Amino acid sequence: MGPYTITYFGVRGRCGAMRIMMADQGQEWKEIVVDFADWMKGDLKATCVFGQLPKLEDGGFALYQSNAILRHLGRNHDAYGKDGKEAALIDMMCDGVEDLRLKYVKMIYQEYDTGKDVYIKDLPNHLDKFEAVMAKNKTGFLVGDKPSFADYSLFEVLLNHLVLCSSCLDTFPSLKSFVEKMSARPKIKTFLDSEAYKKLPINGNGKQ
Ligand code: 6SG
């Protein structure tokens, strides 16, 4: 077992990208799955810095906020660019993915029935920004020539969007190729094919 432990609910949710990243980086990790009834008792919530999960433990070091966790993994596993400028661009792309993730989560949890079609119609206006960056970099990654934590976050959000709308990347060749290549990386493929991954719903309300 590696040094990492994830504490989270039994969903992909905010842990999808970090799990894919750990798998691709050859890390093993332990999962502590918290069920809704236990969470509602409030004892664990009271110990969390923002009263929320996920929590990552790296040995004795505890960290909250999924994007801070991705950055920490990026530093630990040399997936945060080769210099300060690349790191800044990776931060920028991760924040761009976060903006899309928040829109997606809002639609899923608050307006799935009324807002899904509008969301899908508007999606190209968000995906085209990532397509442009990916096409310009030409390496198959957002920044530099190897995967950064922003790539894992984008990859995971795109997988979720392909479940929402299987044709959503058809007009974005660089993103489509990115998803195919990331999915084919041997450790990612093994993880995505695992029961541990497949058994988890994408979201906590069963919508996808
Ligand atoms: C929920 O929002 O699954 N954490 C969630 N919810 C519990 O009491 N900015 C940070 C980050 O990036 C956001 C954290 C995030 O890390 S994730 C949390 O802690 C709370 O606030 C999404 C998700 N939600 C739904 C859900 C259903 C069953 C299990 C999880 C709601 C939460 C717990 C029970 C009901 Fe649930």
Side-chain angles (χ1 to χ4, degrees), residues 171-183:
T171 50
F172 300 113
S174 299
L175 293 180
K176 197 164 190 177
S177 154
F178 169 70
V179 167
E180 283 164 8
K181 285 185 180 154
M182 290 294 278
S183 303

Side-chain angles (χ1 to χ4, degrees), residues 95-126:
D95 286 3
V97 175
E98 174 64 15
D99 286 350
L100 179 59
R101 195 180 284 284
L102 285 170
K103 283 188 190 30
Y104 170 81
V105 164
K106 181 169 182 255
M107 181 275 295
I108 288 285
Y109 284 98
Q110 296 174 22
E111 52 203 32
Y112 188 84
D113 295 331
T114 52
K116 180 182 161 181
D117 293 345
V118 180
Y119 181 91
I120 290 172
K121 215 169 164 204
D122 187 43
L123 190 53
N125 300 320
H126 302 290

Side-chain angles (χ1 to χ4, degrees), residues 8-9 11 14 36 39 45 51-54 65-67 109 204:
Y8 194 49
F9 310 107
V11 298
R14 288 237 162 233
F36 181 69
W39 179 254
K45 186 177 175 76
Q52 291 189 313
L53 296 173
Q65 291 289 355
S66 57
N67 288 304
Y109 284 98

Side-chain angles (χ1 to χ4, degrees), residues 18-27 29 187-188 191:
M18 68 181 78
R19 289 179 179 126
I20 290 169
M21 180 168 182
M22 285 195 256
D24 195 41
Q25 296 293 332
Q27 298 300 302
W29 68 96
K187 290 171 187 154
I188 293 185
F191 178 65

Side-chain angles (χ1 to χ4, degrees), residues 5-208:
T5 301
I6 289 175
T7 303
Y8 194 49
F9 310 107
V11 298
R12 295 181 201 165
R14 288 237 162 233
C15 286
M18 68 181 78
R19 289 179 179 126
I20 290 169
M21 180 168 182
M22 285 195 256
D24 195 41
Q25 296 293 332
Q27 298 300 302
E28 292 183 3
W29 68 96
K30 189 179 155 199
E31 295 272 357
I32 297 177
V33 183
V34 178
D35 73 37
F36 181 69
D38 279 347
W39 179 254
M40 292 309 285
K41 290 178 195 156
D43 300 354
L44 176 59
K45 186 177 175 76
T47 70
C48 300
V49 172
F50 295 101
Q52 291 189 313
L53 296 173
K55 170 188 185 179
L56 180 83
E57 287 166 280
D58 177 355
F61 175 67
L63 193 60
Y64 299 88
Q65 291 289 355
S66 57
N67 288 304
I69 292 168
L70 287 176
R71 286 177 165 82
H72 179 67
L73 295 173
R75 287 184 203 95
N76 281 1
H77 301 289
D78 192 19
Y80 209 150
K82 66 170 166 27
D83 56 26
K85 282 187 181 154
E86 275 197 6
L89 291 172
I90 291 165
D91 282 340
M92 177 181 81
M93 295 315 300
C94 183
D95 286 3
V97 175
E98 174 64 15
D99 286 350
L100 179 59
R101 195 180 284 284
L102 285 170
K103 283 188 190 30
Y104 170 81
V105 164
K106 181 169 182 255
M107 181 275 295
I108 288 285
Y109 284 98
Q110 296 174 22
E111 52 203 32
Y112 188 84
D113 295 331
T114 52
K116 180 182 161 181
D117 293 345
V118 180
Y119 181 91
I120 290 172
K121 215 169 164 204
D122 187 43
L123 190 53
N125 300 320
H126 302 290
L127 295 180
D128 63 354
K129 313 303 186 293
F130 296 100
E131 171 71 18
V133 171
M134 197 63 85
K136 194 170 171 216
N137 195 38
K138 295 190 176 70
T139 62
F141 305 107
L142 287 168
V143 180
D145 58 5
K146 62 178 182 176
S148 71
F149 63 86
D151 290 297
Y152 296 110
S153 192
L154 176 63
F155 172 56
E156 196 263 348
V157 109
L158 292 177
L159 288 180
N160 296 344
H161 281 82
L162 284 166
V163 173
L164 181 75
C165 172
S166 60
S167 62
C168 72
L169 298 185
D170 288 358
T171 50
F172 300 113
S174 299
L175 293 180
K176 197 164 190 177
S177 154
F178 169 70
V179 167
E180 283 164 8
K181 285 185 180 154
M182 290 294 278
S183 303
R185 288 170 71 87
K187 290 171 187 154
I188 293 185
K189 185 176 182 335
T190 300
F191 178 65
L192 296 182
D193 288 342
S194 71
E195 274 313 301
Y197 173 78
K198 287 195 284 190
K199 75 177 181 198
L200 295 180
I202 299 175
N203 301 300
N205 62 354
K207 305 210 193 292
Q208 61 180 34

